[in-house]
Each structure stands twice: as C-alpha cells, then as structure tokens.
Amino acid sequence: MELKEKLISSFLAFENQIDIDSPVHDVRTEAIKVFEDEGFPTKKQEAWKYTSLNKILKEDYSVFPKQENALTYPDVKKYFIHDIDSYKIVFIDGKYSSHLSQTTHDGIDVCLMSAALNKPKYRLVIENYFNKIASKDSLSSLNTAFSSEGAYIHITKNKLVEKPIQVIHFATGSESALMLQPRNLIVVGENSHVQIIERHQSLTDNPVLTNSVTEIFANKRAIIDYYKVQNDHQNASLIDNTFISQKQESHCSVHTFSFGGQLTRNNLNFHQHGERIDSTLKGITIIGDKQHVDHSTLVHHIEPNCESHQDYKGIFGDNATGVFNGKVVVEKEAQKTNAFQANNNILLNDKATINTKPQLEIFADDVKCSHGCTVGQLDESAMFYLRSRGIPEKEAKALLMYAFANNVLESVKIPEIKQRITKIIANKLGVNIGFDL
C-alpha cells in the first residue's frame, strides 16, 4: 500500500480514538479531504521543482507507534541545551514524556497540545488561533488532519519569560520506520518576550519522516526569538512548516541551523499585520554526502513602515544538494518597506549543487528592497595567506568557512546556543574539538 492510501485509511482509525466534540474535529475532517485530493507534492509543482520526495516516501512507515518507549535523562542529556535553566516539552515517538519535561501554568502556559485541545479553559484560544495561518497545501493539511500532540505555548500580555523553552521530539527507532506529525501552537501576548529552541532528533539509523507544523502569533510589541537545530541521523527526514503572524511593532526572528538528516525542507512564512514590524530570517546549512536541504521562505509585507532581513549561508560538499527559494511580497499599501534578502553559498567540489532563486514582488513605489545570491568556492588567495603562516590546509579551510558563516551566529541572543552551534559547525568542518552533536 502506498503511503498516501495508508494515511487516508489510518485517518478513520485516528478519528475513532479522538474526541469528535473537539473544537478542531471539523478542521481535521476538511484537512484530510485536501490531502486526499492533492496527495504529496511532486517536482511538477514550481515550489517543489528541485526537491523530490519519491525516495523517502517508499518506506513503509508506521503511522502510530505500537509501543511506548521510556528514555531516561542520561540517555538524551546531550541533546538538550543543558547549560541553561529552561522549560522543556519533550516527546518520545510522538508521545509526551512527563518525566523529561518541565512545564508550567504559572502565569504562562507551557504544556502539550492535547491538554489544550481537551480543556474548556483553553477552548477560546484554540478557536481563535488554531489553523488560522497554516496554509492549506497538502502537507500542512495532512498534519492538521492528524493533529493531536505537540507544544502548546501561550504567553499572556506583559510577560518576560525568564527561561527559554526547549521543544524536543525524539524518535527511538523501535519501529522499523516511523512517521511523526507534531503540531505546535504558540501565542505571545502584547509586550511579552519569549525564547524558544526546537529540535527533532532520531536516536537510531531507522528511517524517520517528520511532517511538522508550527503556528506562531506575535501580538502587539511582542518579541520572539526562535531557534531550530537540525542535526539528525542520515536516515531521518524533516518537512518543517512554520507560519508566523505579526502585529504592530512586534519583533520576530527565526534562526535555522541545518546540519544533518537525509532530506530537510523548511517552509518558513511571515505575514505582517501592522506597522513598524521587524522580521528576521537567518540560517546556516552545512551538509555533505547525499544530503538535501531546501529552504523556502516568504515574507509578506502588508502595511507600511516595516522591515525584514533574510540572510542564509550554505556550505555544500560531496554530493549534497541545497535549495533556496526566498520570496518577498510588498503590497501596494506597504510603503516605506525596508526588505533585505541574501543567500550566499560555497561549493566544496564539483559534485555539490545549489539551486537558488531569490524573488521580489513589489507593488509599492516608495520602498527600499534588495536581494541577491552568490555561489562560489573558497578564496584561493585567502587560503594561500593562511597556509603561508603555517596553518595546515584542513584548518585553513575550516577557518575560512567558519568566518563565512559567522555573521549569522553573531545575531544569536542566547550565548549557550551560540556556543553549541559553534561547536557543531567546527565538527562539521572537520576540526576536532571533542564535541560531536
């Protein structure tokens, strides 16, 4: 049975397990119809022109794990940013792990999606925000249809969340192949500030396909710092769909660090609803072997006097393939927009590939917008300079590549995150510093 048919038939069993009186029951039913009509995206679609899902869809994925697996903190400690005190929402094979998590309802709600869906006191938030900005494409609809578990974060107005929030999804490999579909809802009230770290991590080499959807709402003057760490096993694939709605004077930044996994597709969509909004999208991709990473971004400028900044760096070796498809849309009413977009890439050999397409669609006449991309190799004169001063070739290459990516790291606001990513980059570039996450 093909995966599409398996999912459609599994939805009937899924419906029997959930509360049909849930506020999202009708939403789920409509969503599975969309997926049934459209199926999985193919390279015939412009947005997926350079990314094929055929290989990863051939696996016989389990849609529902057959057994629960307990993990102890020592088993997974290295995957946490353990140098800082934080709230934690942890899932094991799609199931919430209470003993690894640290949630709260003390003035803010940091808990799990199923609790929010089933408790009347959260019903109004769910009805007002759930599935309101997620696109109705086939993969987001598939996630919506099976949505039952994930992170639910509601920060009320005028709150400074003193500890970062870590959201981590572990796949134990107890199934020969597993498909996960986490759903996250994050609502940040007026004048509030929160930092969130997200990671999807397989613990074995068994194939895992994760189709994740996250909806983020930043209300007036809210500040959100979001960090995605993607450094998974070679047989793990991730389709990450993130949708962000910003209101007046809010600031939202998303840093995406893509280092591992077989196939990674990041769909990141910002929609600005108000003036003096700032949106920041930055990323570092370092991959090799036959890995594939695709960044597809959208920033939609709807009202005047707003800014957006995109800066993505890519380093590709072996037979790796990168894709960057970034779009900035400036509506007629969005005068005084300042939008910047850049995608810079280094190919370490002749077999590595990058397909990059920065796009601007501008309907206003008083704006400052720029975009551009570069594809090249390491600077030979810089290499010669470093080698002439006694630096071995391997270390010289690593220094140049680290310097190339470093300006993205400079905007990371959590020192422990910056330290962790710096060490991952060093190891990816072949410099042994005794830390291999």
Side-chain angles (χ1 to χ4, degrees):
M1 183 185 298
E2 291 188 357
L3 183 57
K4 177 184 175 182
E5 284 69 32
K6 183 175 184 177
L7 288 164
I8 293 171
S9 61
S10 297
F11 181 73
L12 299 176
F14 175 73
E15 271 199 318
N16 292 331
Q17 300 173 8
I18 59 177
D19 180 10
I20 61 173
D21 295 325
S22 167
V24 300
H25 172 69
D26 291 339
V27 176
R28 289 192 185 109
T29 303
E30 290 298 319
I32 196 64
K33 292 178 182 177
V34 173
F35 175 73
E36 187 173 5
D37 291 340
E38 298 186 10
F40 287 100
T42 68
K43 295 182 73 172
K44 293 180 180 179
Q45 298 168 241
E46 183 64 26
W48 290 82
K49 184 177 180 180
Y50 301 109
T51 298
S52 172
L53 299 179
N54 290 342
K55 183 178 180 180
I56 64 173
L57 296 181
K58 291 179 180 179
E59 299 288 347
D60 184 19
Y61 295 104
S62 296
V63 180
F64 308 113
K66 297 180 179 64
Q67 62 184 23
E68 293 189 16
N69 289 275
L71 295 173
T72 63
Y73 184 67
D75 294 331
V76 293
K77 177 182 177 181
K78 63 182 180 178
Y79 299 111
F80 291 92
I81 307 297
H82 48 75
D83 303 325
I84 55 175
D85 187 19
S86 64
Y87 298 111
K88 302 175 183 67
I89 311 176
V90 181
F91 302 92
I92 302 173
D93 292 338
K95 303 292 184 181
Y96 174 65
S97 172
S98 59
H99 68 282
L100 290 179
S101 301
Q102 180 187 347
T103 60
T104 183
H105 297 283
D106 185 16
I108 61 176
D109 290 309
V110 178
C111 61
L112 58 157
M113 193 70 179
S114 59
L117 289 172
N118 295 323
K119 291 186 178 180
K121 72 174 184 175
Y122 298 124
R123 185 175 293 265
L124 184 60
V125 175
I126 296 295
E127 291 177 348
N128 286 340
Y129 293 102
F130 182 84
N131 207 45
K132 291 299 188 290
I133 55 174
S135 66
K136 303 305 184 285
D137 65 278
S138 62
L139 289 174
S140 296
S141 296
L142 175 62
N143 177 282
T144 300
F146 285 91
S147 59
S148 63
E149 200 60 289
Y152 174 84
I153 300 171
H154 183 203
I155 313 299
T156 54
K157 63 169 59 177
N158 302 319
K159 294 287 184 180
L160 173 61
V161 182
E162 296 181 354
K163 299 190 292 186
I165 301 170
Q166 297 193 62
V167 180
I168 303 183
H169 298 265
F170 291 112
T172 63
S174 60
E175 306 281 345
S176 59
L178 178 64
M179 184 174 186
L180 299 172
Q181 301 202 73
R183 181 62 172 248
N184 305 313
L185 178 61
I186 300 166
V187 181
V188 182
E190 294 182 18
N191 305 310
S192 293
H193 182 191
V194 65
Q195 296 175 319
I196 300 172
I197 305 158
E198 176 191 291
R199 183 163 187 165
H200 300 267
Q201 185 65 50
S202 177
L203 302 178
T204 72
D205 290 326
N206 287 355
V208 177
L209 172 58
T210 302
N211 177 37
S212 174
V213 171
T214 300
E215 293 181 288
I216 301 173
F217 295 85
N219 286 292
K220 292 181 181 180
R221 296 175 295 279
I223 301 175
I224 302 174
D225 295 320
Y226 207 102
Y227 302 93
K228 297 175 180 287
V229 181
Q230 301 168 347
N231 189 31
D232 216 335
H233 284 251
Q234 288 284 359
N235 285 333
S237 296
L238 170 65
I239 301 169
D240 186 272
N241 307 280
T242 301
F243 306 91
I244 300 172
S245 175
Q246 292 183 253
K247 290 191 176 180
Q248 178 180 337
E249 299 179 40
S250 61
H251 291 242
C252 186
S253 66
V254 176
H255 288 71
T256 305
F257 302 104
S258 301
F259 305 119
Q262 179 179 1
L263 182 148
T264 303
R265 165 80 176 213
N266 290 300
N267 298 313
L268 181 55
N269 302 270
F270 279 73
H271 300 278
Q272 298 182 338
H273 302 280
E275 296 191 37
R276 295 178 293 282
I277 291 172
D278 188 281
S279 305
T280 299
L281 303 75
K282 295 194 175 188
I284 298 174
T285 300
I286 304 176
I287 55 174
D289 296 325
K290 295 182 179 180
Q291 292 177 290
H292 182 104
V293 171
D294 182 341
H295 295 287
S296 179
T297 70
L298 167 67
V299 180
H300 191 186
H301 290 269
I302 303 171
E303 300 192 35
N305 302 304
C306 295
E307 297 188 7
S308 65
H309 305 271
Q310 298 187 56
D311 190 3
Y312 282 79
K313 305 283 190 179
I315 300 174
F316 305 93
D318 302 322
N319 293 287
T321 303
V323 181
F324 177 80
N325 190 350
K327 179 184 288 188
V328 176
V329 179
V330 182
E331 298 292 353
K332 184 177 180 180
E333 296 78 13
Q335 304 292 343
K336 305 293 183 183
T337 290
N338 182 9
F340 169 81
Q341 182 187 80
N343 175 229
N344 305 110
N345 305 279
I346 291 177
L347 301 181
L348 299 180
N349 56 54
D350 294 336
K351 295 182 180 180
T353 304
I354 176 67
N355 300 286
T356 178
K357 187 172 71 171
Q359 304 173 71
L360 294 177
E361 293 184 9
I362 303 173
F363 302 99
D365 53 18
D366 186 9
V367 300
K368 182 180 179 182
C369 298
S370 63
H371 69 161
C373 65
T374 61
V375 179
Q377 297 178 325
L378 292 175
D379 189 327
E380 291 185 3
S381 60
M383 277 290 297
F384 177 79
Y385 177 85
L386 293 174
R387 294 295 308 281
S388 67
R389 276 142 183 83
I391 300 176
E393 181 179 4
K394 182 178 179 180
E395 284 72 14
K397 285 183 177 179
L399 281 172
L400 290 178
M401 288 186 284
Y402 179 78
F404 170 76
N406 189 53
N407 69 319
V408 172
L409 275 178
E410 289 177 348
S411 60
V412 174
K413 296 178 181 177
I414 303 177
E416 292 81 3
I417 284 281
K418 185 182 295 187
Q419 181 182 20
R420 174 67 62 95
I421 297 301
T422 297
K423 291 178 179 179
I424 293 176
I425 291 174
N427 279 273
K428 290 293 289 186
L429 298 180
V431 180
N432 184 14
I433 54 176
F435 193 96
D436 59 1
L437 287 181

